[in-house]
Amino acid sequence: ITATMSEAVVAGSSFTVTLGTGASDEVVLTAASAGTTLSGTYTVSTGDSSADLNVSSFEVASGQSITDIYGNAMTSTSLPSGNNLADNSALVVDAAPPTSTITSVAYNVTTGVLTFTGSNFDGIGAASASTDIKSYLDWAKLSWDINGDNETTSNVSFTESSITSAVVTNTSTLTVTLTSAAKSALEATSGFGAAGGTDTIDVTAGFIKDISGNVATTDAKANAAITYSDTTAPTVSSFTSTTADGSYGVGSAINITATMSEAVVAGSSFTVT
């Protein structure tokens, strides 16, 4: 917080300003050297709030003084009309952490989109449903748990570079789009998939942060169920053979290979005639 004086004051001059944060926060502004500028630092505290931070009043408190080089002391404590803090800066104070919760996750295997369902996602403070908030989220606190809590299988972790975008679609929906590389890496992980319905999502508290940097404490979710949006059944794309071209007689073993339109689970089988 900086105050500019009408004339130079002596080094060490100081006074106290009260800010309109709902908590009457006070900041001492001091002239570090002779001149017209006095400065001080306001540290946001829990419960503080202001849509446009402003100075509500100021005073020369006990032990403080404001004097020019000729010894004249400041006596006026009138706020500068049209030149207050809010007239010159746009500082929003938000000390309330988001209260977002996560209940479940859906995964679209075609688009690589993770859709989180929960509550109070609007508390993140995104300007609109097109605002990318991936930088507000702590991706180290999100993991895809292959086969649930089967400790023999490693989880799939994410970083900000794994994410194309993250947007608050509405108060109950957070939509996260993986990059093509992250999508491919996830789906290529051994054990990935809906077979048996065992994969889950693990979220550690603090995954969500709002645009002011406040960290959520309500967003933890262990073993969030994953639903899949793939409703397309696999088909046979081709039949081939790994056996060399040639003529084969009685007792010869000839390989028949079917290539499918998409990945199928281990153990899948059918009979060809």
Side-chain angles (χ1 to χ4, degrees):
I1 309 294
T2 298
T4 301
M5 307 300 294
S6 59
E7 62 175 317
V9 297
V10 298
S13 292
S14 65
F15 63 91
T16 299
V17 299
T18 300
L19 303 175
T21 58
S24 298
D25 290 288
E26 295 182 341
V27 179
V28 175
L29 305 186
T30 304
S33 59
T36 59
T37 301
L38 291 82
S39 295
T41 301
Y42 159 57
T43 301
V44 179
S45 301
T46 302
D48 288 1
S49 178
S50 175
D52 194 358
L53 188 63
N54 212 11
V55 174
S56 59
S57 65
F58 67 95
E59 65 173 340
V60 181
S62 177
Q64 298 176 334
S65 64
I66 298 287
T67 59
D68 63 18
I69 60 175
Y70 303 107
N72 299 307
M74 181 182 75
T75 57
S76 172
T77 55
S78 298
L79 292 170
S81 178
N83 216 8
N84 204 332
L85 179 60
D87 297 311
N88 298 303
S89 300
L91 304 172
V92 178
V93 177
D94 172 18
T99 57
S100 308
T101 64
I102 294 172
T103 55
S104 61
V105 185
Y107 182 66
N108 188 314
V109 297
T110 302
T111 61
V113 170
L114 283 163
T115 302
F116 293 82
T117 301
S119 65
N120 301 328
F121 290 132
D122 54 334
I124 297 173
S128 69
S130 61
T131 302
D132 185 1
I133 61 163
K134 67 180 179 182
S135 62
Y136 303 154
L137 307 178
D138 187 349
W139 298 103
K141 295 184 176 180
L142 174 71
S143 66
W144 184 292
D145 197 349
I146 301 292
N147 293 326
D149 284 331
N150 181 350
E151 299 301 330
T152 62
T153 307
S154 298
N155 295 349
V156 177
S157 59
F158 302 94
T159 64
E160 187 176 332
S161 63
S162 307
I163 311 302
T164 297
S165 66
V167 299
V168 176
T169 307
N170 53 54
T171 186
S172 60
T173 308
L174 174 64
T175 303
V176 175
T177 303
L178 301 180
T179 64
S180 58
K183 177 182 181 296
S184 296
L186 171 64
E187 295 173 10
T189 303
S190 177
F192 168 86
T198 54
D199 285 8
T200 59
I201 291 285
D202 289 330
V203 182
T204 304
F207 166 59
I208 292 173
K209 295 182 290 183
D210 65 20
I211 62 173
S212 299
N214 300 307
V215 179
T217 60
T218 56
D219 57 341
K221 180 65 177 179
N223 300 317
I226 302 172
T227 57
Y228 297 83
S229 60
D230 180 13
T231 58
T232 303
T235 59
V236 176
S237 298
S238 66
F239 289 112
T240 57
S241 177
T242 59
T243 304
D245 292 348
S247 298
Y248 294 89
V250 174
S252 299
I254 299 176
N255 165 266
I256 308 295
T257 296
T259 300
M260 307 303 294
S261 60
E262 62 176 316
V264 297
V265 298
S268 294
S269 66
F270 61 86
T271 300
V272 299
T273 300

